[in-house]
Amino acid sequence: MPTHVRIALDPALAPWRPEITWVWRTLLTGMGYAWVEVPWGSSDIDLAYATDPAQAPTARLVIVARPERWTTPAAQLLAGIVRSPTWEHLRFQGELAEALQVTRHHGTALIERDVIFDAFWLLTGQEERQLPRGKHGYSDLSGSPGVEQGLLRKALASGVGTSLERELVTCGLAPGMRRWPVGKTMAAACGHDVDYPEVVRWLEPLRVLARQGRRGLKPALDVALGRRTHWHFASWMALEQRFQSRSAFYFVARQGSLVEYARGLPDTFYDVNAPRFRLLLRELAAEGWEIGLHASYLAYTSAEKFGAERAALAVASNTPVVGNRHHYWHLDPADPEATLLMHEQVGLTYDASLTHDRYLGWRRGTTWPFYPWHSGLRRPVRTLQVPTGWMDDHLFGQHVNNPGGRQALLGGLADRVADQQGCLLVDVHEYVYDDALFPDWAATYARLWETLFSRGDVWFATPAELAAHWVARAKTLEQASSGLSASWPVVTI
């Protein structure tokens, strides 16, 4: 049986109860605790979330809530990060750069910062509402504290849960349920976006020369003559088998064209129903690799079309399609929550699209899977979000936005995931395997996987396996819990 946390919420927080209960359930699920909500003023409380600590009931741990922040969350402007030996937390404009202190008195630990709001602010992408958007709707974080101080690589939302779990254990509570199976500390998964498996032989040499200059003359000629291709699915499989792992391949089910691409609709050119692709899809699935959907550029504009893409890929591959990542990370730029809700409407178990195209790290501040919040409906979306931490191009085409050595940056991500016992999901495109065409791209991924494999405490899984485990674990905790009355979605793969 999981350890239970007895939690009490201040009645004064009732106007924001849906949001607050969602954050608590998200954090407690990540921490591995079942919960029992008890009335305000009860005895034998583990956690109290109070607007006034002087009026809080006796508890192992009291956290002070800030109602004014819950009233206008988007009005809180990020100023930076504050670090202490045991906590890292946000600092909003107007706050002093004071490190969080946990004070203890008569058996009660007190946290006077509203770290629950901090987690909400991050998990719901409040900063994105304040940022300009560029091409493809990408958020421009240039010069922001989040980029300058490495906020995206800190995963401070799941960091709140990690630190809270440590505080609860310090206060005498047993540790929560382990996050991952077979005694592993962290999880790792890869999804390959299948964008360009068949080269256009007159066009690709120009792209090679644009990337490499004169050094690319020979490989560009080899592509033009058909001696080098992007069709390296067997190579990826062999690489991953070295580390006893399997990945996902995300295929686009809508066939685009060069004409559409020139007009600004950058969908891929292949046809999943072509005999070559149908054979590939079934071979990958038969060997244990996941087939996922790479939703087309405008899939978010219609649930009907989105669902049709998923159904078409399932037919072509003869396997269920439970997961997705959007081509170009292209959720609705004006309303990402609408796209997250569409994932639920088309029946996806998980999505892996919440990351930034230009910036390394976790867009919503968490290394833990979670059910995203829909602010209009004031409830969670019933499709799990598995956060992507690294896309290959972050360290190559976008290296100016992510300065530093590649292995050091990826090692920092892995260390953060290990500390939080989270998951490291990465995106490596299928066409970058050939070192002559994309120098060091595949090798960077291989070195990361080799480093993780050598640790011995990493559970390698496909994204679908990772999501299935988290869903089942969340269901176990939910069934053992009571209170915090907001509907908690459970999806079965």
Side-chain angles (χ1 to χ4, degrees):
M1 287 292 293
T3 300
H4 286 78
V5 171
R6 290 171 58 84
I7 182 170
L9 304 182
D10 192 331
L13 296 169
W16 311 282
R17 182 176 173 86
E19 290 77 10
I20 289 169
T21 54
W22 168 70
V23 178
W24 272 114
R25 292 165 79 112
T26 299
L27 293 176
L28 289 168
T29 297
M31 294 154 65
Y33 287 120
W35 55 89
V36 177
E37 186 179 6
V38 298
W40 193 248
S42 298
S43 59
D44 191 24
I45 296 175
D46 297 310
L47 271 169
Y49 189 43
T51 57
D52 181 357
Q55 302 300 318
T58 301
R60 296 177 192 255
L61 178 61
V62 175
I63 299 174
V64 178
R66 297 282 298 274
E68 71 279 7
R69 291 187 175 169
W70 287 102
T71 301
T72 55
Q76 310 307 314
L77 304 179
L78 182 66
I81 304 170
V82 182
R83 300 171 178 85
S84 71
T86 55
W87 284 82
E88 285 182 301
H89 62 82
L90 303 176
R91 180 171 69 89
F92 296 118
Q93 289 184 16
E95 290 185 318
L96 298 176
E98 295 179 341
L100 184 152
Q101 300 291 327
V102 181
T103 59
R104 305 181 192 278
H105 186 66
H106 295 310
T108 294
L110 175 65
I111 295 176
E112 296 193 66
R113 178 173 185 83
D114 192 348
V115 293
I116 306 307
F117 175 81
D118 288 355
F120 176 83
W121 193 88
L122 289 162
L123 289 167
T124 54
Q126 295 297 320
E127 185 182 28
E128 296 171 25
R129 303 165 192 246
Q130 307 156 2
L131 296 171
R133 291 191 295 268
K135 188 176 181 181
H136 307 300
Y138 298 145
S139 296
D140 185 357
L141 278 73
S142 302
S144 72
V147 169
E148 297 298 322
Q149 298 185 35
L151 172 64
L152 295 174
R153 301 196 293 273
K154 301 295 185 181
L156 294 187
S158 46
V160 168
T162 303
S163 295
L164 282 178
E165 183 179 7
R166 290 170 180 160
E167 292 294 342
L168 286 171
V169 171
T170 299
C171 292
L173 205 66
M177 178 186 293
R178 296 187 68 92
R179 311 217 219 293
W180 307 112
V182 294
K184 301 300 185 180
T185 299
M186 60 179 284
C190 177
H192 301 283
D193 293 349
V194 183
D195 287 353
Y196 195 21
E198 297 177 311
V199 299
V200 179
R201 285 172 57 179
W202 64 264
L203 174 61
E204 186 57 24
L206 301 177
R207 289 158 54 97
V208 174
L209 292 172
R211 287 194 304 270
Q212 299 188 39
R214 294 181 60 185
R215 292 177 300 171
L217 285 171
K218 185 178 186 307
L221 178 61
D222 288 342
V223 171
L225 297 176
R227 294 196 292 253
R228 291 189 180 277
T229 75
H230 288 171
W231 194 271
H232 282 288
F233 296 95
S235 302
W236 289 118
M237 294 169 72
L239 186 157
E240 289 163 355
Q241 284 175 323
R242 286 166 42 195
F243 308 114
Q244 302 172 23
S245 67
R246 299 287 190 274
S247 64
F249 286 93
Y250 297 109
F251 288 85
V252 181
R254 180 195 181 275
Q255 185 178 15
S257 68
L258 273 171
V259 172
E260 286 186 346
Y261 193 94
R263 292 175 176 172
L265 183 58
D267 281 335
T268 57
F269 307 152
Y270 59 87
D271 179 5
V272 294
N273 288 303
R276 185 187 193 191
F277 279 90
R278 290 173 72 93
L279 178 62
L280 168 68
L281 289 164
R282 297 174 188 217
E283 287 179 346
L284 288 169
E287 293 296 322
W289 271 258
E290 178 191 347
I291 304 301
L293 179 65
H294 202 30
S296 66
Y297 188 76
L298 294 179
Y300 72 85
T301 62
S302 165
E304 182 179 1
K305 292 179 181 178
F306 198 151
E309 290 182 18
R310 180 191 178 206
L313 182 59
V315 170
S317 63
N318 195 34
T319 189
V321 175
V322 301
N324 173 70
R325 183 184 283 140
H326 284 265
H327 189 42
Y328 277 72
W329 312 104
H330 202 225
L331 289 71
D332 185 341
D335 188 5
E337 288 180 359
T339 307
L340 299 178
L341 182 61
M342 195 174 290
H343 298 154
E344 172 188 307
Q345 294 167 342
V346 304
L348 290 168
T349 297
Y350 81 89
D351 175 72
S353 302
L354 279 178
T355 198
H356 286 295
D357 176 73
R358 293 167 56 187
Y359 309 103
L360 182 69
W362 295 280
R363 176 174 170 179
R364 293 294 174 90
T366 180
T367 68
W368 299 348
F370 70 106
Y371 293 99
W373 184 250
H374 192 285
S375 60
L377 298 177
R378 298 188 77 187
R379 70 163 176 86
V381 172
R382 296 182 178 90
T383 294
L384 191 71
Q385 186 65 215
V386 182
T388 302
W390 168 51
M391 175 183 66
D392 46 18
D393 197 44
H394 287 148
L395 302 183
F396 292 91
Q398 299 295 337
H399 187 248
V400 66
N401 296 304
N402 305 284
R406 292 170 192 147
Q407 293 309 306
L409 289 168
L410 293 178
L413 290 190
D415 289 343
R416 180 63 48 148
V417 172
D419 178 67
Q420 298 183 357
Q421 298 179 33
C423 63
L424 180 59
L425 175 60
V426 305
D427 174 16
V428 180
H429 290 80
E430 106 292 339
Y431 56 83
V432 304
Y433 185 85
D434 189 331
D435 195 62
L437 301 180
F438 293 89
D440 206 39
W441 287 56
T444 298
Y445 167 55
R447 286 193 296 269
L448 172 62
W449 247 228
E450 183 176 15
T451 298
L452 295 175
F453 184 73
S454 67
R455 289 176 56 107
D457 64 346
V458 179
W459 179 50
F460 289 95
T462 66
E465 291 168 340
L466 191 155
H469 169 77
W470 199 266
V471 167
R473 179 176 172 276
K475 184 176 182 180
T476 296
L477 293 168
E478 163 77 12
Q479 291 176 341
S481 300
S482 63
L484 297 181
S485 54
S487 64
W488 184 252
V490 175
V491 183
T492 301
I493 292 180

